[in-house]
Amino acid sequence: MKIDPIELTKKLITFRSITPEDDGAIKYIASILKKSGFHCQILEYSNCRVKNLYAEYANGVPNLCFAGHVDVVHPGKLENWVSDPFKPEVRNGMLYGRGAADMKSGVAAFITAIVNSISNINGSITALITSAEESASEYGTQAILEWMNKRNKKIDYCIVCEPTSDEKLGDAIKIGRRGSITFKLICYGKQGHVAYPELADNAIYKLIDILNKIKSMTLDSGNKYFQPSHCEITTIDVGNSGNNVIPDLATAYFNIRYNNLHTSDSLYDLVNTICSNVTQDYKLLIHEDRKLFLSTLDRNTDIMLDAISKVTNVDAVFSTNGGTSDAAFIKDFCSVIEFGLINKTIHQVDECVLVDDIYKLTNIYEEFIKNYFYSDINKVDLISSIPNDPLLI
Ligand SMILES: [Zn+2]
């Protein structure tokens, strides 16, 4: 079966898969993989309209996994786009459409690569595709992994095909991501008349005092693998409709992107101590918590470096910057890296990728697959050449 990754990307863009909908994309991909001998299981979560695909070509060990998502963020105002975001269009060698970069082209490239390679590999290949990466992740990759865990499905190595390149294809491989923890802080006071502050207790002042202290703390200065951790306050809500009333309640949300010098527990303790030094009338909750990951540099990262260099002539660097991704969940199953197209236009109006880069990415994945399944004798040589690094986990 012959697949053109450009045509497949274009087809995937036509599905209006605004997160967490898949709009038929999951079934379409399953039909392609089935024809190539993959066993496909669609995992549906009808309460939130999420569809996930678990596809497996079982042929012993090792089991190489590719992961991605077909959901996209909302295109925003359609009149701001030069062409319809769900009608793929090529202009000057660039393919335009919502999801062109994040990440329908990445999905198309790895589907093409695994279908093209399947008859020549000595092992198994698994594909995990979700419609809930941009939202509702508990029903997306997390849910697929729980489903796999219950059935004792194992994978040995995973490539998440998110767009990781910065300026040109192949310049960056993500070997980790910072963790992300969002706190909800509620401060309490006593309601009263603005003319009688001595009879009231304004909750806003406590909240602002705490937020100032949190914002001004230096969490760390980063290290070899990660940029410094930092905090952003995202919203402050009082909900006070009376301008002559001192409010008795104020709420804020803030997010900390943290590196491997912290854990979510250590950050909770730190923030909690700051709060309790200001007031006792507060509640601190963890609203959302995504753990960081940092992969070990090993034979497989070498294989990816070589594959990239062979196809693009670019020497990739290892990076951990940017937001979170599903790799943060997969890391609990096996070692994982992320590699894909240029991320410059993701989530933007007129999102686009170079058509030629989609072909190149497909070739890189094919080259990786070929060498990943190469003989064990070479594996030993490669592993022994990698120095131990105590900072890597
Ligand atoms: Zn993405």
Side-chain angles (χ1 to χ4, degrees):
M1 185 180 168
K2 197 80 195 136
I3 304 173
D4 178 347
I6 311 300
E7 291 310 310
L8 181 53
T9 306
K10 286 182 182 169
K11 176 70 186 174
L12 293 178
I13 288 171
T14 64
F15 294 104
R16 304 176 72 86
S17 52
I18 296 170
T19 189
E21 305 269 1
D22 81 302
D23 193 34
I26 290 286
K27 207 171 155 193
Y28 182 78
I29 293 169
S31 71
I32 294 173
L33 290 174
K34 265 185 203 162
K35 280 183 204 152
S36 294
F38 279 77
H39 169 75
C40 294
Q41 179 90 35
I42 293 176
L43 310 172
E44 262 185 77
Y45 297 88
S46 51
N47 57 328
C48 56
R49 309 185 305 278
V50 172
K51 278 201 184 79
N52 299 317
L53 175 62
Y54 171 85
E56 139 191 292
Y57 184 91
N59 182 34
V61 289
N63 186 350
L64 175 62
C65 178
F66 285 85
H69 63 91
V70 290
D71 58 322
V72 295
V73 293
H74 200 281
K77 286 187 182 152
L78 296 186
E79 61 266 32
N80 292 337
W81 287 70
V82 171
S83 54
D84 187 319
F86 297 102
K87 287 187 183 146
E89 194 171 292
V90 176
R91 301 193 294 273
N92 300 323
M94 305 289 289
L95 173 61
Y96 289 82
R98 176 52 92 223
D102 186 11
M103 57 166 286
K104 289 178 170 176
S105 46
V107 170
F110 85 69
I111 296 294
T112 308
I114 62 179
V115 167
N116 287 349
S117 310
I118 205 69
S119 54
N120 295 321
I121 62 151
N122 188 15
S124 303
I125 289 197
T126 298
L128 310 180
I129 303 171
T130 180
S131 74
E133 196 275 341
E134 304 285 5
S135 68
S137 63
E138 65 272 33
Y139 296 103
T141 298
Q142 253 183 302
I144 310 178
L145 294 168
E146 280 164 25
W147 180 91
M148 287 168 62
N149 212 9
K150 281 189 193 140
R151 284 152 189 83
N152 210 19
K153 303 270 189 197
K154 303 259 187 257
I155 48 178
D156 295 300
Y157 196 70
C158 184
I159 299 165
V160 177
C161 303
E162 289 277 6
T164 58
S165 301
D166 293 319
E167 296 296 328
K168 46 188 172 180
L169 175 65
D171 60 8
I173 300 171
K174 296 249 192 272
I175 55 160
R177 297 267 192 169
R178 287 185 298 175
S180 168
I181 183 165
T182 302
F183 289 99
K184 179 182 184 182
L185 171 65
I186 310 162
C187 285
Y188 301 98
K190 185 173 179 237
Q191 197 182 54
H193 195 294
V194 289
Y196 302 93
E198 67 279 9
L199 300 177
D201 179 17
N202 194 329
I204 294 177
Y205 301 141
K206 298 175 193 177
L207 189 79
I208 287 176
D209 196 3
I210 293 172
L211 293 178
N212 266 330
K213 288 188 165 69
I214 290 170
K215 184 58 195 155
S216 58
M217 68 187 171
T218 302
L219 286 161
D220 57 74
S221 40
N223 59 30
K224 183 175 167 187
Y225 298 106
F226 287 99
Q227 54 194 137
S229 307
H230 89 283
C231 172
E232 283 301 325
I233 295 154
T234 52
T235 180
I236 297 175
D237 303 294
V238 180
N240 188 0
S241 56
N243 58 11
N244 58 353
V245 178
I246 291 171
D248 62 351
L249 192 113
T251 304
Y253 285 82
F254 50 95
N255 176 274
I256 298 177
R257 293 294 161 113
Y258 63 95
N259 59 33
N260 58 345
L261 300 171
H262 306 271
T263 63
S264 45
D265 285 345
S266 72
L267 288 169
Y268 183 90
D269 290 345
L270 184 67
V271 172
N272 198 37
T273 303
I274 292 171
C275 294
S276 62
N277 285 340
V278 171
T279 176
Q280 295 305 307
D281 298 327
Y282 71 96
K283 196 188 274 181
L284 179 68
L285 303 162
I286 294 176
H287 178 68
E288 196 178 43
D289 181 14
R290 262 200 196 197
K291 305 277 190 287
L292 67 82
F293 84 93
L294 179 62
S295 288
T296 309
L297 303 181
D298 58 10
R299 166 188 183 259
N300 299 321
T301 33
D302 277 359
I303 291 174
M304 185 56 92
L305 283 175
D306 288 347
I308 291 167
S309 153
K310 186 173 174 188
V311 175
T312 63
N313 250 330
V314 171
D315 290 328
V317 296
F318 296 124
S319 151
T320 59
N321 62 14
T324 64
S325 86
D326 280 348
F329 305 123
I330 297 169
K331 66 119 174 34
D332 295 332
F333 264 66
C334 65
S335 201
V336 54
I337 56 167
E338 297 175 45
F339 177 68
L341 293 164
I342 296 171
N343 54 27
K344 262 189 174 168
T345 61
I346 60 173
H347 295 207
Q348 292 182 15
V349 165
D350 293 333
E351 180 177 346
C352 58
V353 280
L354 270 167
V355 170
D356 203 36
D357 278 357
I358 303 176
Y359 286 124
K360 285 183 183 159
L361 183 66
T362 308
N363 291 340
I364 291 168
Y365 291 152
E366 284 179 15
E367 184 68 18
F368 181 91
I369 294 168
K370 190 177 84 189
N371 292 317
Y372 177 84
F373 289 104
Y374 196 54
S375 84
D376 285 318
I377 300 156
N378 294 295
K379 287 181 197 172
V380 176
D381 285 352
L382 277 160
I383 289 167
S384 60
S385 71
I386 296 159
N388 283 337
D389 191 327
L391 260 178
L392 288 171
I393 50 172

